Amino acid sequence: MTGAESDIMRLQKMIKNDNLRIPNEIFQMLKNDLLCVLDGYFELDKKCVELSFIPDKTGIKIVFVAGAVGVKKVRSV
């Protein structure tokens, strides 16, 4: 993907989110919260994270994509 295509996709997401009236602060807080939860289970590639809201006839679909490079070991007591 070229830089121009990436810029266009980012602009399209911004327009969609703006049309839903979701404040940028809420968007960032939700993205950070989801990353914190997943970070407890996976080794995340934080450069590969996307969050989007898609209007739907039943409401809003929340799409969160995160790249993981590994799974963390779970220790039990």
Side-chain angles (χ1 to χ4, degrees), residues 7-8 10 28 45 54 70 72-73:
D7 290 343
I8 290 170
R10 188 170 58 247
Q28 279 306 123
D45 177 3
I54 302 169
K72 292 184 177 179
K73 293 186 181 197

Side-chain angles (χ1 to χ4, degrees), residues 24-43:
N24 193 43
E25 297 82 20
I26 298 292
F27 183 85
Q28 279 306 123
M29 286 172 40
L30 179 57
K31 185 175 177 180
N32 290 337
D33 286 349
L34 290 169
L35 281 171
C36 283
V37 169
L38 290 176
D39 194 46
Y41 299 94
F42 299 96
E43 296 172 22

Side-chain angles (χ1 to χ4, degrees), residues 1-70:
M1 177 180 327
T2 68
E5 289 172 336
S6 176
D7 290 343
I8 290 170
M9 289 175 61
R10 188 170 58 247
L11 183 57
Q12 287 173 334
K13 285 181 187 177
M14 287 172 55
I15 291 170
K16 281 183 188 176
N17 291 339
D18 192 45
N19 286 339
L20 293 173
R21 308 271 189 252
I22 298 171
N24 193 43
E25 297 82 20
I26 298 292
F27 183 85
Q28 279 306 123
M29 286 172 40
L30 179 57
K31 185 175 177 180
N32 290 337
D33 286 349
L34 290 169
L35 281 171
C36 283
V37 169
L38 290 176
D39 194 46
Y41 299 94
F42 299 96
E43 296 172 22
L44 298 174
D45 177 3
K46 303 230 169 104
K47 296 176 198 162
C48 185
V49 175
E50 294 180 29
L51 175 64
S52 58
F53 301 93
I54 302 169
D56 183 303
K57 52 186 163 185
T58 61
I60 300 170
K61 287 186 181 182
I62 301 167
V63 179
F64 182 75
V65 178
V69 294

